Amino acid sequence: MVRMRKSTMGIALLLMIAIGLGFWLYPNSNHFQTPPYTTEKPLTYLSKTSAGPDGDLIVIGDSRQEIVRMSSDGKIKELIRQNADDGIRHDFTDIAVAEDGTIYALDTVLDSYGLYVQEERIISYTLGDTRGKDLFTFKGSGTNKRVGLIKGLQVAGNDVYFYINEDNKVQLNHLSAAGGKPEVTLTFALPEDRYLSEIVGYKPDNIYYSTKRGAIFRVKADGASEISYPLDGMDRTRKNFPEGLLLQDNGRLYFVDRLVNAVTSMNAVDSSDLVTEIDEATLRKIAPNAESLDIMDLTIDNAGQMDIVLDDRIVSIAAAKGQTNMLTKLTYERSSIVKGWLIWLSAAVLAIILLLLMRLFYVHVLNRRISLFFKQVFAIVPILIIAMVLLSNFIYDSFSSRMEDEMQRQLSLLARNGQNMINGDQLNRLTSPNDYMNKDYQTIRSKMNFLFESEDAANRKGLYSTLYKYENGEIFIMMDDDDGVNMYKPFPVNDQNRLVVENGEVLTDRWEDATGKWLYAIGPIYDSSGKIVGVYETGRDLNVLYQSNQTIYKSVMRNIGLISLVLLVLVLAVTYYLLSSLRKLRKSVMEMANGNWDVRVNIRSQDEVGDLGEQFNRMALHIRTYIKDITSFSEASHRFVPQQIFKYLGKKGITDIHLGDQVQQNMTVMVANIRSFHQLSKQLSPKQNFDFMNMFLKRFSPFVRTEEGLISKYLGAGFMALFPARNEDALRAAVAIRRELVSYNESLKASGFAAVDLGMAIHKGPLMLGIVGEEQRMEGNVISDDVNITATLERMSDTMGASILVTRTFFEQLRSPEKYRFRQLGRVRIDGKDDPIELIDVYEGDSDSERGLKDRTRLMFEKGIMLCQEGRFFDARETFIEVIKINRFDKAAKLYFYLCDEYYQKGSTEGWNGTLAV
């Protein structure tokens, strides 16, 4: 019981620890995305950046899937990752950082194919919070591609500002950092045929935006727009497309000149002092090993340091010219590494605890037993699952490779058809971003969309198209299925597109950028003279292919899972049926173990289990026969040797008894014998003698067992009994036997036999209980001088006129001697004993008349005993005469009368000490 309680407490304690670890690990689950031994993180696919307090820099990386907060020395202070639970793609498309370090991010939710924007959410991330809080959600029209309608996310104090561009109108919204409903503070219309690209600033007369046609406008206090870049006289054209607008407090406006891939700044108010801050040549010197020198974004901190974000690195240029620094990988802070190890170790501890809980459950709850049915389930189910998963993967791999090959053929066909669908002369007439959305642009765009769109124009199923213009040996992006990509964006000439523009080949390949992984095909575009003037690209997001494959895989898995489930149910049902015979056998075995020896199992199956059932029935029959024999033997042995003797000797049964086994104890001994039985036996035949004794012992022996005594030996005309527990047991048994003797004698008279009388004596003392004899013949016996004394006292009982004669040694150990009628018999000397023994006559079991006479003479009799022991023989003689006058059958009074009379007449013997010699 104690062990079970301890195991229950152990299970409860481990369960509490496991729950605590689970609650601690859940909010830190993002640490499992990086092994704990990882100390560095490479920068990949960067897109946006913003300066934070204390020299921190915040960037969007990993294809818009994470936000990294880093210190000025390149250590990761915080890592926020997209962890969408809705199964669709989420992109971080913009960020802004407050003075307290809170990050405000624009989360763009795309459709299942990663193309159309479904909604946009502004989320705040306080320092240390990687889950974020939703501040505002905006659902657009669902037609924007990859970037939505929210522009210009900015923070000032506890206020968040952002613009919504819809139906050629732009709204400035003010939102509290605590969330709530945004307030519209400014609304202005874009100039005719102008389309918003980016916007910065939130104060009236200090708001600047760029358009898709390659210009920067300033919004005046009355909401009207005036152009700020390029102005007449500037060494700039509409091909110098401005991107990544950054408005500083000092009034300078920074932007990326996409045509020449340079950072340019100017005085925002009057568009003066146009300066190229960093050009591509300088970047090439700073980052000679960069995969791409395309400037993705830039920011300037309070110290004037400019941080330029490339695709895979960050170039930092201090305010003092010439001081540069470059980061290609970041290092985790020591606290983050330690926390990562703690989280992984905690997960390992949790796994160990779960395994330990399973073991404790197995040991202490299941008692190390698991049903054979469940063992087969545990064996069959994993094998079946593994087999079905391998089969599913084989089918999936076959289909996916075929689907990819088929997709490449389809893309090649679409790329080849593009040269027939797209008019090269119209493409030639597009000469700058200023032609954005003109008639030729819209005609080409509608034909490109016609290649993909089904009845549902919003459903592109992951397909995209891009149109490039080949001009003077350079390639420019003209149209793209990404609203964030502007017209006339330079595109590097590589080995693949060079074969297209030079040889007119159609090629297929894979590529990966900040927006994802793609499978694409490219083909040439010809003008009316047969000259290659552009490249048409079409492709599909591999994530979509993977999703399609996953759909097929899930369908295959579902069908195979259903088949597996049916097979599993059938297998388990057959297994359960086949194990029914074993369950019957187990039930029968358990019933036999519980003592039902008559159990029989009925198994009809003609197999190994049927053989076991048949052999079980035979075994059960043999066991029943054996137990019957053993029981008979045991019952017989109990009749010859009392079971209590085995107990006192520390033995289980007679088979454990050995010659010489013995034990010493203080026990009460009672001897009972039929007085003058030899005279009665002379009148009986031998058979009658045996029958008489057996009837006598059968009548009186149960009184001994009732009082927890055992009959140690039969004495021919009586028995000797031992009472190891309480002294009262022997006396109660003796009184009960004396009272039963009255009805017994009546039955003897009715049968024609003379009445009998019993002599009984009780004494207590140390004795040896053990096994005596020799190897071929043994019996239990009691060896003790006190046993001999008790036997002697029994023989004296008739002379002393006592029905139950006990010693004072025994009588004084009774807890309530006053419950019995008794009288003192004085001291008696026994042959072989130097010291006299004081005797007591217990007449509780005598007949009513005898008890009455002894009650009347008790005090007088005990007075005579006292006078005799004092040597006053005359007075004692006269006293006993008075007793005899009242009770003429009192043998003890007569015995003392003759003794006192003799001593009075002749004098006592020399050395007499007041004892009676019998």
Side-chain angles (χ1 to χ4, degrees):
M1 191 70 178
V2 176
R3 185 178 180 183
M4 182 179 297
R5 189 180 297 113
K6 288 183 178 179
S7 63
T8 303
M9 293 177 61
I11 292 175
L13 178 61
L14 289 175
L15 191 59
M16 292 176 61
I17 295 174
I19 293 173
L21 287 174
F23 275 108
W24 184 65
L25 290 174
Y26 177 74
N28 297 289
S29 58
N30 59 314
H31 282 76
F32 293 116
Q33 298 175 359
T34 306
Y37 53 79
T38 302
T39 59
E40 295 181 338
K41 173 181 174 58
L43 293 171
T44 56
Y45 301 123
L46 306 178
S47 57
K48 286 286 186 178
T49 185
S50 181
D54 301 325
D56 291 349
L57 185 66
I58 293 86
V59 296
I60 297 177
D62 193 22
S63 301
R64 300 178 181 174
Q65 294 302 296
E66 68 181 17
I67 298 174
V68 182
R69 187 198 301 267
M70 67 187 76
S71 61
S72 58
D73 57 354
K75 290 186 177 179
I76 299 175
K77 300 180 71 174
E78 192 171 49
L79 184 63
I80 303 170
R81 287 197 61 83
Q82 288 283 11
N83 189 21
D85 298 327
D86 49 13
I88 58 178
R89 183 178 175 92
H90 289 242
D91 285 346
F92 291 123
T93 53
D94 200 2
I95 52 173
V97 184
E99 294 177 355
D100 61 355
T102 302
I103 299 174
Y104 296 88
L106 180 61
D107 178 24
T108 302
V109 183
L110 305 178
D111 63 0
S112 57
Y113 298 104
L115 181 61
Y116 291 98
V117 178
Q118 302 300 303
E119 67 178 25
E120 299 172 85
R121 300 186 297 176
I122 297 176
I123 304 175
S124 66
Y125 296 93
T126 57
L127 191 62
D129 174 25
T130 59
R131 295 193 174 272
K133 174 185 177 184
D134 288 354
L135 299 181
F136 174 71
T137 299
F138 176 76
K139 293 184 179 294
S141 62
T143 59
N144 299 89
K145 299 174 183 177
R146 306 197 190 281
V147 293
L149 298 178
I150 294 181
K151 309 284 185 180
L153 182 64
Q154 301 163 86
V155 181
N158 292 324
D159 299 316
V160 180
Y161 297 91
F162 61 93
Y163 293 86
I164 297 179
N165 173 31
E166 202 169 16
D167 298 329
N168 211 35
K169 290 184 179 179
V170 182
Q171 287 183 347
L172 174 60
N173 294 268
H174 166 245
L175 179 67
S176 171
K181 186 177 181 180
E183 175 187 358
V184 178
T185 60
L186 175 66
T187 301
F188 65 92
L190 296 174
E192 186 178 359
D193 294 332
R194 292 296 183 266
Y195 306 92
L196 183 66
S197 177
E198 299 178 24
I199 187 167
V200 294
Y202 57 90
K203 296 179 181 178
D205 207 28
N206 197 29
I207 300 174
Y208 298 85
Y209 66 89
S210 63
T211 70
K212 293 288 187 178
R213 291 193 169 185
I216 298 177
F217 288 82
R218 181 169 68 92
V219 181
K220 295 189 292 185
D222 59 358
S225 298
E226 64 176 9
I227 191 168
S228 295
Y229 174 90
L231 299 178
D232 294 337
M234 284 185 178
D235 186 20
R236 297 289 190 275
T237 67
R238 288 300 179 94
K239 287 186 178 181
N240 295 97
F241 199 102
E243 291 182 349
L245 302 184
L246 177 65
L247 182 62
Q248 289 295 98
D249 293 338
N250 59 9
R252 292 197 68 82
L253 179 65
Y254 292 78
F255 57 88
V256 177
D257 188 333
R258 184 56 63 197
L259 179 66
V260 294
N261 194 40
V263 177
T264 303
S265 70
M266 67 179 185
N267 190 340
V269 176
D270 56 9
S271 303
S272 62
D273 193 18
L274 188 66
V275 177
T276 299
E277 301 286 346
I278 300 293
D279 56 17
E280 187 170 305
T282 304
L283 285 176
R284 185 173 290 108
K285 292 179 182 179
I286 299 174
N289 299 322
E291 292 184 3
S292 173
L293 292 175
D294 284 351
I295 300 175
M296 309 304 294
D297 198 15
L298 74 141
T299 187
I300 300 175
D301 63 15
N302 295 331
Q305 176 175 292
M306 180 184 296
D307 295 299
I308 299 174
V309 174
L310 305 183
D311 182 71
D312 63 346
R313 62 197 63 206
I314 299 173
V315 177
S316 300
I317 303 173
K321 299 293 184 180
Q323 297 182 7
T324 62
N325 184 35
M326 183 173 62
L327 290 175
T328 59
K329 55 186 177 181
L330 306 177
T331 58
Y332 291 94
E333 289 186 323
R334 181 178 178 84
S335 59
S336 178
I337 295 174
V338 172
K339 185 176 181 180
W341 275 107
L342 286 176
I343 290 172
W344 278 81
L345 289 175
S346 298
V349 171
L350 179 59
I352 294 173
I353 289 176
L354 293 177
L355 291 175
L356 188 57
L357 282 172
M358 293 174 62
R359 172 171 174 76
L360 290 175
F361 183 81
Y362 169 71
V363 172
H364 297 287
V365 178
L366 299 180
N367 294 322
R368 301 180 183 270
R369 295 180 66 256
I370 299 178
S371 171
L372 183 60
F373 175 76
F374 287 107
K375 286 183 179 180
Q376 290 199 340
V377 169
F378 295 150
I380 293 174
V381 170
I383 294 174
L384 188 60
I385 291 175
I386 292 172
M388 291 304 167
V389 168
L390 292 177
L391 178 60
S392 302
N393 287 331
F394 174 76
I395 297 174
Y396 168 74
D397 292 339
S398 300
F399 272 102
S400 62
S401 60
R402 291 182 182 180
M403 287 186 65
E404 188 168 337
D405 294 340
E406 181 63 26
M407 183 179 291
Q408 286 182 335
R409 287 193 293 269
Q410 291 178 357
L411 293 176
S412 297
L413 180 61
L414 288 173
R416 195 177 302 276
N417 288 337
Q419 63 187 353
N420 300 321
M421 299 283 295
I422 298 173
N423 190 318
D425 294 332
Q426 291 178 329
L427 181 59
N428 275 333
R429 290 196 290 270
L430 300 178
T431 58
S432 75
N434 196 44
D435 296 326
Y436 178 77
M437 294 302 289
N438 66 11
K439 184 177 181 180
D440 289 330
Y441 185 96
Q442 294 190 42
T443 301
I444 295 174
R445 186 174 184 178
S446 64
K447 290 183 177 180
M448 287 176 59
N449 290 336
F450 180 77
L451 291 173
F452 308 105
E453 292 179 348
S454 59
E455 295 179 1
D456 185 0
N459 188 3
R460 296 287 292 272
K461 297 181 180 179
L463 288 169
Y464 75 91
S465 62
T466 304
L467 179 62
Y468 304 89
K469 185 176 183 182
Y470 182 56
E471 185 179 276
N472 299 324
E474 295 181 301
I475 298 178
F476 301 92
I477 299 177
M478 304 301 289
M479 301 179 192
D480 187 71
D481 283 332
D482 185 343
D483 293 339
V485 178
N486 293 307
M487 187 176 172
Y488 253 96
K489 179 180 179 180
F491 191 84
V493 178
N494 53 39
D495 295 338
Q496 285 79 14
N497 55 38
R498 184 179 291 110
L499 291 175
V500 175
V501 298
E502 293 180 358
N503 302 332
E505 297 183 18
V506 177
L507 301 175
T508 60
D509 202 353
R510 296 168 177 255
W511 64 287
E512 182 178 353
D513 65 358
T515 59
K517 298 178 181 180
W518 312 88
L519 183 68
Y520 70 93
I522 52 178
I525 301 295
Y526 297 91
D527 62 8
S528 56
S529 64
K531 180 182 177 182
I532 297 176
V533 294
V535 177
Y536 176 72
E537 176 183 332
T538 181
R540 171 167 278 184
D541 189 344
L542 282 178
N543 290 324
V544 177
L545 177 62
Y546 297 152
Q547 288 179 5
S548 300
N549 290 342
Q550 285 296 315
T551 302
I552 296 174
Y553 182 71
K554 289 178 181 178
S555 177
V556 172
M557 286 292 293
R558 182 169 56 252
N559 294 330
I560 292 181
L562 291 175
I563 296 173
S564 302
L565 183 61
V566 172
L567 288 176
L568 184 61
V569 171
L570 290 176
V571 169
L572 295 182
V574 171
T575 301
Y576 187 82
Y577 173 75
L578 293 177
L579 291 178
S580 61
S581 299
L582 280 178
R583 289 195 298 274
K584 289 182 181 179
L585 185 61
R586 174 179 176 269
K587 181 180 179 182
S588 300
V589 171
M590 294 183 67
E591 287 186 14
M592 180 175 284
N594 291 329
N596 183 9
W597 309 112
D598 296 325
V599 66
R600 180 178 176 83
V601 62
N602 184 19
I603 298 177
R604 298 180 180 179
S605 60
Q606 302 298 319
D607 52 20
E608 291 85 347
V609 181
D611 295 339
L612 282 176
E614 183 179 351
Q615 297 302 318
F616 172 82
N617 290 331
R618 293 181 61 187
M619 179 185 70
L621 178 60
H622 290 309
I623 291 176
R624 285 194 296 271
T625 303
Y626 178 75
I627 289 177
K628 182 178 180 182
D629 294 341
I630 289 295
T631 303
S632 300
F633 173 76
S634 177
E635 291 175 352
S637 69
H638 293 170
R639 291 195 294 269
F640 285 94
V641 181
Q643 189 71 8
Q644 293 95 322
I645 292 181
F646 303 146
K647 176 182 176 181
Y648 300 138
L649 294 177
K651 305 297 180 179
K652 295 181 179 180
I654 195 169
T655 55
D656 291 337
I657 293 295
H658 297 90
L659 189 64
D661 290 339
Q662 51 80 30
V663 65
Q664 180 175 353
Q665 284 193 359
N666 277 335
M667 290 189 186
T668 300
V669 183
M670 180 178 73
V671 176
N673 242 324
I674 298 176
R675 293 171 179 168
S676 304
F677 178 71
H678 63 283
Q679 296 178 359
L680 176 63
S681 64
K682 291 178 182 180
Q683 304 171 11
L684 303 176
S685 66
K687 182 178 185 304
Q688 289 177 327
N689 270 288
F690 276 97
D691 291 341
F692 179 87
M693 281 307 306
N694 289 334
M695 181 177 62
F696 169 79
L697 294 173
K698 181 179 180 180
R699 186 74 175 261
F700 293 100
S701 295
F703 292 100
V704 175
R705 289 191 293 272
T706 299
E707 300 299 336
E708 300 184 22
L710 64 98
I711 296 178
S712 173
K713 182 184 296 186
Y714 292 113
L715 304 174
F719 57 83
M720 180 178 71
L722 303 177
F723 294 87
R726 296 170 295 274
N727 299 319
E728 286 82 357
D729 295 343
L731 193 53
R732 282 198 299 268
V735 172
I737 290 172
R738 289 296 307 178
R739 290 175 178 173
E740 181 65 17
L741 184 63
V742 177
S743 59
Y744 177 70
N745 282 329
E746 291 176 356
S747 64
L748 287 179
K749 290 179 181 178
S751 301
F753 293 100
V756 296
D757 193 13
L758 282 178
M760 304 182 72
I762 302 175
H763 180 50
K764 184 174 183 179
L767 55 82
M768 294 292 295
L769 178 64
I771 305 300
V772 297
E774 45 91 17
E775 292 296 337
Q776 299 301 318
R777 173 70 172 86
M778 293 181 289
E779 68 175 15
N781 202 350
V782 177
I783 301 175
S784 172
D785 188 43
D786 294 287
V787 172
N788 297 329
I789 292 175
T790 308
T792 302
L793 293 178
E794 184 277 321
R795 291 191 295 271
M796 291 173 52
S797 63
D798 185 27
T799 304
M800 299 296 294
S803 59
I804 303 174
L805 186 62
V806 304
T807 62
R808 177 170 290 280
T809 303
F810 162 77
F811 197 74
E812 287 180 346
Q813 296 183 41
L814 294 175
R815 287 177 292 184
S816 301
E818 67 278 359
K819 293 170 57 177
Y820 303 95
R821 291 185 174 92
F822 67 93
R823 63 179 182 173
Q824 308 285 345
L825 293 179
R827 294 190 295 271
V828 178
R829 181 170 57 83
I830 298 176
D831 292 338
K833 287 291 183 182
D834 296 333
D835 298 328
I837 298 176
E838 284 195 57
L839 300 179
I840 295 176
D841 173 18
V842 178
Y843 55 89
E844 181 70 29
D846 291 1
S847 63
D848 293 340
S849 59
E850 291 176 340
R851 285 201 307 272
L853 292 173
K854 288 185 178 181
D855 284 341
R856 290 174 58 189
T857 60
R858 175 189 170 191
L859 296 178
M860 191 183 304
F861 178 85
E862 290 180 345
K863 178 181 178 183
I865 295 293
M866 182 185 66
L867 293 172
C868 179
Q869 290 177 346
E870 291 176 354
R872 298 168 59 184
F873 300 116
F874 176 80
D875 296 333
R877 187 188 67 175
E878 296 302 316
T879 302
F880 287 120
I881 290 175
E882 294 299 323
V883 172
I884 295 170
K885 288 180 180 179
I886 298 173
N887 184 6
R888 59 190 179 88
F889 301 105
D890 193 336
K891 293 182 179 182
K894 292 178 180 180
L895 182 63
Y896 272 103
F897 167 76
Y898 291 124
L899 176 66
C900 292
D901 182 65
E902 181 180 355
Y903 286 167
Y904 174 69
Q905 298 292 338
K906 301 178 181 180
S908 62
T909 60
E910 185 178 357
W912 184 76
N913 57 1
T915 62
L916 178 65
V918 181

